[in-house]
Amino acid sequence: MVSRTVAQVRVVIAKCSVDYAGRLTAHLPLAARLLMIKADGSVLVHSDGGSYKPLNWMSPPCTLQVLDPDEDQCAAGFTEIWTVTQAKTGDRLVISIAEVISDSSHDLGVDPGLVKDGVEAHLQELLAEHIETLGDGYSTVRREFMTAVGPVDILAKDSEGVSVAVEIKRRGGIDGVEQLTRYLELMNRDPLLAPVNGVFAAQEIKPQARALAQDRGIRCVVLDYDALRGMDDPASRLF
């Protein structure tokens, strides 16, 4: 048995089967897939479809062990067995390798992070300061809460103490809803955070994005930039 510490991104294309064992179980039959082992310890299994979304994954902190196959696994044609174990939950992702087509590692260097539009960044700052805009009893836990696939704009708590992930856009489209969905899927795997609800907040939300968000149980909130800045005068309104 060999334990490996990943110092850079490793990209493997292999014929493999995948089994997930934990609170849920899932099986992917033998096929050619893209395997990504990232420097933060996360492991992702991709197919040729589905855009950015992996078929299965294990978020950090986790450990990867590479084992020799047993007799039955050898007879089935497997040459390596990868076992990825989640440190907090004990969930396991078992990747049975039959053939490695390509295996390469890449040093991506230091990630400067997402550079936000000036208004969008200011919206995040203002909403964190005035989180009660989302509802009575809301409180800000932190801004830029990091996940394995990027930072959530704001992690908050509602009046009942339930975690809320808030994604902020100037103009809210389908891509933003997909981004928040990805964060929620990962965060809801963390027993220290789950359950996590989602809020998609923007100055303007496109109808298609609103429909998709509502279908996924994500609440939409339209933000008034001037009101958040304290520049909105209710007495000057006609309605």
Side-chain angles (χ1 to χ4, degrees):
M1 180 175 66
V2 179
S3 296
R4 293 179 180 172
T5 301
V6 180
Q8 52 190 348
V9 175
R10 183 180 174 197
V11 180
V12 179
I13 299 174
K15 290 183 180 178
C16 61
S17 66
V18 182
D19 292 277
Y20 190 96
R23 287 163 291 173
L24 300 174
T25 58
H27 173 72
L28 297 172
L30 186 67
R33 296 190 175 90
L34 169 63
L35 310 175
M36 293 182 63
I37 305 97
K38 300 176 72 175
D40 63 5
S42 56
V43 178
L44 300 92
V45 181
H46 286 271
S47 67
D48 194 32
S51 186
Y52 64 84
K53 188 175 180 179
L55 296 170
N56 217 323
W57 69 92
M58 188 68 76
S59 54
C62 57
T63 57
L64 168 63
Q65 293 180 318
V66 180
L67 310 175
D68 293 328
D70 59 27
E71 291 185 5
D72 291 339
Q73 291 165 333
C74 282
F78 296 116
T79 59
E80 286 186 355
I81 307 298
W82 295 6
T83 301
V84 188
T85 305
Q86 221 288 331
K88 292 181 179 179
T89 65
D91 289 6
R92 291 187 307 133
L93 187 67
V94 179
I95 304 172
S96 302
I97 307 288
E99 179 187 354
V100 175
I101 301 169
S102 174
D103 187 344
S104 60
S105 296
H106 308 274
D107 186 353
L108 301 183
V110 178
D111 189 342
L114 179 66
V115 179
K116 289 183 173 288
D117 173 274
V119 173
E120 192 174 304
H122 198 206
L123 278 171
Q124 182 193 118
E125 179 183 349
L126 290 169
L127 185 57
E129 292 176 359
H130 304 284
I131 198 67
E132 68 278 0
T133 301
L134 302 181
D136 293 338
Y138 271 71
S139 60
T140 298
V141 176
R142 65 168 297 170
R143 293 169 55 193
E144 299 290 337
F145 180 82
M146 185 57 64
T147 75
V149 291
V152 175
D153 288 332
I154 297 175
L155 176 63
K157 295 277 189 181
D158 67 13
S159 59
E160 297 180 355
V162 176
S163 298
V164 181
V166 185
E167 182 63 27
I168 300 169
K169 300 293 182 187
R170 192 153 58 99
R171 293 185 177 86
I174 286 177
D175 287 350
V177 178
E178 293 283 7
Q179 183 180 356
L180 178 54
T181 299
R182 185 165 72 251
Y183 294 149
L184 289 170
E185 287 177 346
L186 284 173
M187 295 171 75
N188 273 301
R189 289 189 173 200
D190 187 338
L192 298 179
L193 291 175
V196 185
N197 296 325
V199 170
F200 188 54
Q203 288 180 279
E204 174 189 346
I205 300 177
K206 296 180 180 179
Q208 300 92 330
R210 183 181 294 274
L212 180 62
Q214 291 173 345
D215 182 67
R216 295 181 177 180
I218 295 170
R219 181 159 71 100
C220 291
V221 175
V222 175
L223 300 176
D224 187 325
Y225 188 43
D226 287 338
L228 285 172
R229 291 190 294 168
M231 297 179 63
D232 183 43
D233 181 8
S236 67
R237 299 178 185 169
L238 293 176
F239 303 97

